[in-house]
Amino acid sequence: MSKYIPFRTKKDHISFFFDKKSIKYTSVFVIVTLLLCLASTSLGQVLISPLEVIQILFGSGEGGNAYIVQILRLPRILIALFVGIGLAVSGAILQGMIRNPLASPDIIGITSGGSVAVVTFLTIFSDENDALTVSIHWQPVAAFIGAMVIGLIVYALSLKSGTTPIRLVLIGIGLATLMDALTNLFMILGPIYRAADANLWLTGSVYGTNWDQVKVIIPAIVGLVILALLIARRINVQELGDELASGVGSHIQRDRLLFIVVSTALAGVSVSVAGGIGFVGLMAPHIARRLVGASYGALIPISALIGGILVVGADLIGRTLFLPIEVPAGVFTATIGAPYFIYLLFKK
């Protein structure tokens, strides 16, 4: 028990253990996240000292630099952070449910569902002058609905004789391929100008995000992550296998439906504002698992922090490495993720 710190309420209604290793890594990654966010706020075409950034954040700054920090950079950084958190936790849940560290929202089609919904939206609601006939604010709604629909379709099609992990993966991969084909079809059929917009969205970028989006995504992601932590024990039980999980009283099919809904909602909210940022849901949980083990009480928060670091870091590199050109964050997550995915395949 020396590895754990016990916690109990006065009347012992609630009691649990904190893993010392997970507390250590959580503290380290929280510090890294804060430093990275500070660096990202300071760096760009206009360099602002970290001390001035802190002063602006506490309300004592003014002028052009305050505008850059508060209006241009801070919303973008917060969106990147919480998108990374959402994708990472979504991937962690899928990997536990499917019992395969290679599972992620983009691989089983959830991200592709959001992508085809956005391209369809841009194609259908564009007139002959390449102008949208409805508000662009409906685009994130379309992405969220598309991701949720595909996630539920994957689950529904895998229900025959009971949902099994391998069936979920195979159906998800098949639907992801179909959604990618439909995405390409609608990009060809749609206006050229909208195809360029769609291509930027498909790559994955947090460019142009604002405080209105922050006010929507942060409560949604925080609420869903809290729900994921509450069901962490059920995910641990599922990893034992169907027979053992049933033997300890787990409602396997009901729990899997809950897992797919929470995971799909996390991915849907994330892609609705940032597009198809890939590989975060694959890499972050796998790295976290190597650090703190397979227990989801520790795995979820560590995965969330790693996912946030990956997306904020990718966006920082994209904003600063090729100035004055900005490269979408999804380019750099894919640059890191593709070799990592190949490494995992060879490792297995």
Side-chain angles (χ1 to χ4, degrees):
M1 285 298 183
S2 60
K3 294 172 56 180
Y4 302 96
I5 300 174
F7 173 85
R8 290 183 178 86
T9 58
K10 288 184 178 180
K11 296 184 178 180
D12 287 343
H13 291 310
I14 300 175
S15 63
F16 48 84
F17 292 97
F18 288 108
D19 182 17
K20 290 182 179 179
K21 183 190 291 187
S22 68
I23 292 174
K24 179 184 74 173
Y25 281 116
T26 300
S27 302
V28 170
F29 283 122
V30 166
I31 294 171
V32 171
T33 300
L34 293 174
L35 292 176
L36 182 60
C37 289
L38 180 61
S40 186
T41 312
S42 301
L43 300 175
Q45 281 189 305
V46 178
L47 296 177
I48 305 172
S49 72
L51 180 59
E52 185 177 358
V53 168
I54 294 172
Q55 291 174 342
I56 292 171
L57 293 178
F58 281 96
S60 60
E62 58 183 20
N65 285 350
Y67 178 84
I68 291 171
V69 170
Q70 295 174 345
I71 305 301
L72 300 180
R73 292 184 184 171
L74 191 56
R76 179 173 182 161
I77 292 165
L78 289 173
I79 289 289
L81 177 63
F82 280 90
V83 163
I85 289 172
L87 291 174
V89 176
S90 175
I93 294 172
L94 286 175
Q95 289 176 12
M97 181 182 71
I98 297 173
R99 300 196 293 275
N100 189 328
L102 302 182
S104 69
D106 37 329
I107 291 175
I108 72 164
I110 296 173
T111 303
S112 298
S115 300
V116 74
V118 166
V119 176
T120 304
F121 170 84
L122 293 174
T123 301
I124 292 176
F125 295 107
S126 294
D127 60 21
E128 62 275 5
N129 298 317
D130 287 345
L132 282 176
T133 58
V134 298
S135 172
I136 192 65
H137 293 98
W138 287 102
Q139 178 178 309
V141 177
F144 177 77
I145 293 173
M148 287 295 297
V149 167
I150 292 302
L152 294 176
I153 288 176
V154 168
Y155 180 82
L157 292 178
S158 65
L159 275 176
K160 182 181 178 182
S161 302
T163 305
T164 62
I166 187 64
R167 189 178 288 119
L168 276 169
V169 171
L170 293 176
I171 291 174
I173 291 173
L175 280 175
T177 304
L178 175 61
M179 293 302 104
D180 290 341
L182 290 175
T183 298
N184 291 328
L185 174 63
F186 282 114
M187 287 181 68
I188 293 170
L189 295 176
I192 294 176
Y193 176 77
R194 292 302 169 194
D197 287 347
N199 191 55
L200 176 63
W201 192 91
L202 292 171
T203 305
S205 173
V206 292
Y207 174 79
T209 50
N210 54 56
W211 282 109
D212 289 337
Q213 292 169 309
V214 171
K215 291 174 185 177
V216 173
I217 190 173
I218 289 182
I221 294 293
V222 169
L224 289 166
V225 170
I226 291 173
L227 180 57
L229 288 169
L230 292 175
I231 63 175
R233 188 174 298 179
R234 300 189 191 186
I235 305 175
N236 289 332
V237 172
Q238 290 266 336
E239 287 207 305
L240 298 173
D242 291 358
E243 292 185 5
L244 282 176
S246 297
V248 297
S250 174
H251 301 280
I252 295 176
Q253 302 306 326
R254 187 180 68 187
D255 286 350
R256 280 185 183 150
L257 176 59
L258 176 61
F259 299 157
I260 198 76
V261 168
V262 174
S263 176
T264 303
L266 281 163
V269 171
S270 300
V271 303
S272 70
V273 293
I277 295 179
F279 290 104
V280 176
L282 169 70
M283 290 188 292
H286 199 273
I287 295 170
R289 191 174 284 106
R290 294 173 68 91
L291 294 175
V292 297
S295 175
Y296 271 76
L299 185 65
I300 287 175
I302 298 297
S303 297
L305 290 168
I306 294 173
I309 289 169
L310 286 172
V311 179
V312 173
D315 182 57
L316 174 60
I317 294 170
R319 284 195 297 111
T320 58
L321 191 61
F322 299 103
L323 285 173
I325 299 172
E326 288 197 12
V327 180
V331 171
F332 292 100
T333 59
T335 301
I336 300 170
Y340 191 77
F341 184 69
I342 294 170
Y343 159 75
L344 291 180
L345 289 174
F346 277 104
K347 188 172 181 291
K348 289 184 74 67

